[in-house]
Amino acid sequence: VMRRNPFGMDICCRKGSRSPLQELYNPTQVSLSNTAILYQIRRDQVTDTCRANSVSNRKRRVLTPNDLKHLVVDEDHEMIYCYVPKVACTNWKRVMMVLTGRGKYSDPMEIPANEAHVSSNLKTLNQYSIPEINHRLKNYMKFLFVREPFERLVSAYRNKFTQKYNTSFHKRYGTKIVRRQRKNATQEALRKGDDVKFEEFVAYLIDPHTQREEPFNEHWQTVYSLCHPCHIHYDLIGKYETLEEDSNYILQLAGVGNYLKFPTYAKSTRTTDEMTTEFFQNISSLHQTQLYEVYKLDFLMFNYSVPSYLKLE
């Protein structure tokens, strides 16, 4: 367990003895109490979905340490953040580095993006002993951020398959997708895997062979499988659509809202609903239906309605 450092207390650590968990469920500030109702509704939605779909959860297994590698722990502020790629996770990791850095960092945006993804810069829950894990799951405030599932999927596709610099993804997944989904693929396409079409990516995701072969990559894995919301009770569910408000509310609960704000950023390249609609135009209704089934729990659990552009069978 990390020891508290008496230096840097003013920058890193909570003033007063109330934890974010206490502040969330029993707020002392009026500004925090009005918002609490919204998060209660989101929590209830998850609980109800887990209960309603318990048929698919029959294999209710015990979580292994491997299941906890996405849960980032902040000892000083008693918080646990489950990161979901393509849902502002780079900026949240930067913020967590400021919160856990004991004064080493003060501005999240001064931390290079690639440094935020270096695993040794943040401590994850799977690095603790079982009793320590249980203690933190019980006493720390647990939160995650979610996004409309297909918007997140298109964002992952655009980032990993249409950017020339992502050669490791092209080699690791692109070549496999081309080999499996493209008839008469050229030798170059089979070798490079850098021109995967969205239709091919979808066909790969819904192919039963894919799921049997290995778990999805974290960039397109369901939130349900990354963060285990039916096994872990999240106190606060933030949404990409209300990213700044939700993020700054969490920082307020942690008692650091006065000097730490969630980074705002230009949204010029952001994947939007309109963009997602365009990507889905070439997907057959059968494939749309099968893809929706893959992500259905994320839609239901986090209260996203079936997109109007879908032609479900």
Side-chain angles (χ1 to χ4, degrees):
V1 181
M2 282 161 66
R3 296 285 298 279
R4 289 185 183 233
N5 175 353
F7 314 105
M9 276 298 279
D10 53 337
I11 174 90
C12 86
C13 305
R14 247 182 17 259
K15 288 173 266 305
S17 58
R18 286 173 64 81
S19 70
L21 203 57
Q22 291 168 319
E23 203 52 68
L24 173 67
Y25 290 106
N26 190 8
T28 48
Q29 300 174 45
V30 180
S31 61
L32 295 179
S33 62
N34 301 337
T35 324
I37 300 158
L38 166 73
Y39 298 108
Q40 182 61 56
I41 292 168
R42 289 183 188 172
R43 281 195 297 275
D44 290 346
Q45 178 77 22
V46 171
T47 309
D48 294 346
T49 308
C50 291
R51 202 171 289 141
N53 292 277
S54 60
V55 190
S56 56
N57 296 343
R58 280 273 158 75
K59 325 184 267 290
R60 231 189 124 102
R61 56 199 179 76
V62 174
L63 294 179
T64 65
N66 196 42
D67 293 319
L68 306 175
K69 60 179 189 284
H70 272 250
L71 279 76
V72 175
V73 181
D74 172 1
E75 291 291 347
D76 292 319
H77 304 89
E78 301 189 352
M79 299 197 300
I80 294 174
Y81 159 58
C82 184
Y83 69 89
V84 178
K86 307 314 298 172
V87 194
C89 90
T90 305
N91 278 352
W92 254 111
K93 283 180 175 181
R94 286 170 163 145
V95 169
M96 292 300 274
M97 282 173 72
V98 173
L99 290 172
T100 60
R102 313 258 163 133
K104 192 175 164 188
Y105 314 95
S106 56
D107 179 2
M109 293 319 277
E110 279 175 6
I111 302 170
N114 58 339
E115 205 177 309
H117 296 295
V118 174
S119 56
S120 58
N121 282 334
L122 290 165
K123 194 157 187 193
T124 47
L125 198 57
N126 59 331
Q127 293 169 278
Y128 292 85
S129 69
I130 303 293
E132 287 173 335
I133 288 171
N134 289 334
H135 170 79
R136 280 155 188 73
L137 285 174
K138 191 174 161 197
N139 296 292
Y140 287 16
M141 184 179 85
K142 300 167 295 299
F143 67 96
L144 78 160
F145 276 79
V146 298
R147 182 179 186 177
E148 202 280 339
F150 285 170
E151 199 180 286
R152 179 177 161 240
L153 191 66
V154 168
S155 175
Y157 166 78
R158 287 177 66 216
N159 179 248
K160 299 304 171 197
F161 294 107
T162 69
Q163 304 292 341
K164 288 293 169 212
Y165 61 81
N166 262 323
T167 49
S168 63
F169 265 82
H170 303 156
K171 284 263 187 292
R172 170 96 175 74
Y173 295 101
T175 53
K176 186 185 290 186
I177 293 170
V178 169
R179 192 173 65 245
R180 209 184 287 170
Q181 305 300 337
R182 191 179 299 176
K183 289 185 178 72
N184 312 320
T186 64
Q187 283 307 307
E188 191 187 16
L190 289 165
R191 192 178 75 252
K192 284 188 172 172
D194 62 353
D195 65 343
V196 170
K197 297 183 182 69
F198 185 64
E199 299 88 283
E200 294 170 329
F201 178 51
V202 169
Y204 163 78
L205 293 173
I206 59 178
D207 182 350
H209 182 70
T210 303
Q211 297 253 27
R212 279 197 302 270
E213 188 176 59
E214 60 180 345
F216 276 0
N217 176 277
E218 58 175 21
H219 290 85
W220 47 86
Q221 180 60 283
T222 60
V223 177
Y224 169 75
S225 301
L226 287 176
C227 295
H228 313 284
C230 288
H231 298 75
I232 294 170
H233 172 81
Y234 286 92
D235 303 290
L236 203 142
I237 295 152
K239 294 206 160 190
Y240 192 73
E241 295 77 15
T242 50
L243 178 62
E244 276 167 56
E245 302 95 293
D246 291 341
S247 299
N248 288 322
Y249 177 69
I250 290 167
L251 297 175
Q252 223 182 325
L253 290 171
V256 298
N258 293 341
Y259 57 83
L260 183 57
K261 291 277 177 279
F262 192 77
T264 55
Y265 58 98
K267 298 191 168 78
S268 56
T269 59
R270 229 199 79 179
T271 301
T272 60
D273 185 47
E274 295 75 47
M275 216 179 270
T276 307
T277 305
E278 276 175 46
F279 272 91
F280 271 84
Q281 277 177 340
N282 298 331
I283 308 297
S284 71
S285 57
L286 174 63
H287 281 190
Q288 287 186 6
T289 307
Q290 289 170 316
L291 191 69
Y292 179 75
E293 280 304 312
V294 173
Y295 292 93
K296 187 178 176 177
L297 278 177
D298 279 6
F299 275 101
L300 297 173
M301 208 166 265
F302 307 117
N303 207 18
Y304 288 107
S305 48
V306 177
S308 54
Y309 55 78
L310 283 195
K311 310 177 286 287
L312 299 183
E313 294 201 338

